[in-house]
Amino acid sequence: MGEPIQITIDGRAISTRESRTILDVALEHGIDIPNLCHDPRLKPAGACRLCIVEVEGQRAPVTACTFQVAPGQVVHTKTDLIQELRKTILELLFYEHRGVCTLCNKNGECKLQQYGYEYQLSEEVFQFSATAPNGDNYTAGNEALEYHVGKCIRCGRCVRICQEVQMDNALTFRERAASVEVSTAFGMPLNQSDCKLCGQCISTCPTGALYERGAHGKGQCTRLTKTRTTCVYCGVGCQIDLNVNGKNEIVRVTSPVGVVPNHGNLCVKGRFGMEFVHSDKRLTTPLIKRHGTFETATWDEAIGLVAARLQEIRSAFGPDSIGGLSSAKCTNEENYLFQKLIRAALGTNNVDHCARLCHASTVAGLAQAFGSGAMTNSIDEIRRAKCLFVIGSNTTEAHPVIALAIKEAVVRNGAKLIVADPRGIELVRFATLHLAQKPGTDVALLNAMMPVIVAEGLHDESFLRARTENFAALAEAIRDFTPEQAEAITTVPAEAIRRAARLYATAPAASIVYSMGITQHTTGTDNVLTLANLALLTGNLGKESAGVNPLRGQNNVQGACDMGALPNVYPGYQSVEDPVIRAKFQQAWGGALSERKGLTVVEMMRAVETDRQVVAPLVSAGGCVERDVGRPTSDVTRFATATGCRTSDVRRPTSRTSQPQPLPDPCPTIRALYIMGENPALSDPNLNRTRKPLAEVEFLVVQDIFLTETAEYADVVLPSTCFAEKDGTFTNTERRVQRVRRAVAAPGQARHDWEILCEVATKLGYPMAYPSPARILEEIASLTPIYGGISFERIETVGLQWPCPDRQHPGTKYLHADRFPRGKGKFHAVAFRDPAEMPGEEYPFVLSTGRQLYQFHTGTMTRKSRAIGQVSPTGYVEVHVEDARRLGIADGQTVEVATTRGTVTTPARVTTQIEKGWLFMPFHFHEGPANLLTQDALDPVAKIPEYKVCAARIRAVL
């Protein structure tokens, strides 16, 4: 930070610290010094020379962006000499500038234009240069951005941000002198280069030289209205400004530099993925399916039918015959009302959402170990960690802006990076050590690190004594497990495991970063518990830049969990089985609430009773698991014996018109589903099985912005607004509650989700009405201690991190500083278990699924973007080059990938990024749905499916 010092700028005494530049100090104190090559995200360059100032004692003017402050320094920023020099610099820049402000998209935000006016340049300098502009450049044919050479001032900011922040090195300079221009290496087209289409170069360009191609001609910056909101994609929670023209169109997306958590940085989805908002595929009117065909309906008809059918089913079969899926895409306020509708208006705890499919094991595992299932640290702390252990997270693709923080920690701050991932992901390029463990062997890898730490005395004994319990059980479990034994299981060399243990344990502050590569297993909770063990063992908890940090996958998956869109907890993770807590919510909401936990999303699908011969019972430890469908009645006894069920638990179906046959606990039957903003017909595992209950459930309501694959099965479809059309809050992966603001009007008759839910509840006989989302958040705060101090007013500028128990609390930067919510951190003895399905002779490959940079979830939003579609048109399967050669598979060739559950044809991507014997597929593409192949075996605690490991085969399609 440097020592405190006093300096003077333009006669004003200023207190600051050494090691800072004059420009930084001046801007911080509201003193404007003109600059064109400066960006707070970049290292000072002094390229434009416009920030020159006079410093007493210096022989000549100095550049304020590179010259550091010193004790007693006296700075003059606006002397006659300085003003004249700046004017000359501007004249030279304008002489080569071949843009016309009145026709330029950047008009109103161009810094060159601003300074030209401020310094009152002569009109003579605003003439076209005799040098003709170059023809096509590296952006030709690219749908994302365009480069106008004639508007470029060669400040180098675009090249530097690509090198210093993105660290992709996609851009460079070419030619010399007056012919210098920005290009890619060897002038190759942008889409063939290393460019990730993040648009950072656009964000830092001070003129209109770089601009979004899709925004061209849709409105100059001076005529655009900016609305600050929170990005709708991953869990980072980037703050964005939606730039809207007079035609109600989002023209471009920008982001303010210096605002947490992203500091002006965006990824390709955040910058170029908003075309879905104005897509002509948006739902604009309610739909009712009659005789197998959707017909438009009025809101009164649709809501009346929804309420009538739900009432009929509840009356005939009981409240537990209804289930609801809430949404990580919707606001906190909407998730709160959805679970309130399901619990208070319908009387069941059968409510869940997609967290079940991504981080349910995080919530379960960290709650057991620490008492709280959330990211322990803030995103900014990652930059200052001394060691980062990234495991099961392809961060550069799934959470690109957090990946920037990881890269900064390594490149700028010297952190050691351990990457544990079966694939050679991009972060490996920055890693001190890469552990390519076999998919599904994380517990073995982690359990082998801990004996090394204990044997070499690298554990934190004082932390163990003061703040943990049950260490003896862990020590006994791992005592005889060696790195050599782990090597036989994981394929990671024993010495690499030892080195990883030492790197992690000896760092002053080590942070674990993980995501769905850890959680989406039948051993997902075990994986999380083992990571918690590792952090507890080394004392890497309760302090800055040290902790266990799960990266949440969707924009509000953290918030949806916080709001109680889970079958076992009310908002704030308060148990539905605790009579005191239940009484509190009963008093607030009115009426009686169910005393028992509800079903998870996969359990709901299995609990749909249709024309099949066997009802799918609950999947739980010791519960009844349906192995297949279409089982004849004569097999009931054999099925019950094989699965440990009572024969009375296996019921024959009733038709939709027949009288109900009551099912005993714990095997309820779901007859109606209400799905808000979820797409299980593409996102759930074993799709052939998942889609059957969607088609056969007695009544299905889908509330969404598009007619998704799931909505196609619905009886009633309710059109809702998207994030850009509503107000509310999202909670990001670091527990920060942030504002969502309406920027554009909704299409057609689409309504806000919270308003629809209130109307449905009221029609059901449970009146629910609020004047605004702000009032809903007030109710949330009154019932949810971790949100107790959060309100719209307090987060108007910057979001707050929970726990925030009262209106005076500043929010919590990192968790567990003094104590764990459960008292002491608890060690758990965890033994390695094989995945539920292993490769064999018929299916010899291990298939894993996941995300890619350019797409998101089921593609309903990103696949509406032309820029994204150009670089990511379809799915693929990654196969190792040697496996491809052996099987006669060429890169780009159509192949067939099969498991016991289904078959998918898709192009092959032949690579060395994956190990031999392993396959990888992204799951975003409906025309090649990877989840037709995945298995729905569940973690016994978190009930999360095993997306990351299944046995598969692959062959070329001739």
Side-chain angles (χ1 to χ4, degrees), residues 37 52 132 138-139 171-172 189 243 252 267 311 322 423 484 499 524 537 613 712 731 741 763 777 831 836 912 930 951:
C37 68
I52 52 174
Y138 70 101
T139 65
L171 298 182
T172 186
N243 293 233
R252 63 195 301 243
C267 75
Q311 283 176 323
I322 301 171
R423 302 165 67 217
E484 283 73 18
R499 187 183 177 199
L537 182 65
Q613 293 298 313
E712 294 279 3
T731 304
R741 296 178 178 87
K763 199 74 173 178
L777 184 58
T912 56

Side-chain angles (χ1 to χ4, degrees), residues 592-609:
L593 299 175
S594 175
E595 299 179 359
R596 64 180 185 182
K597 293 186 294 186
L599 302 181
T600 67
V601 54
V602 177
E603 291 171 344
M604 287 185 215
M605 296 301 172
R606 292 181 180 178
V608 172
E609 185 178 73

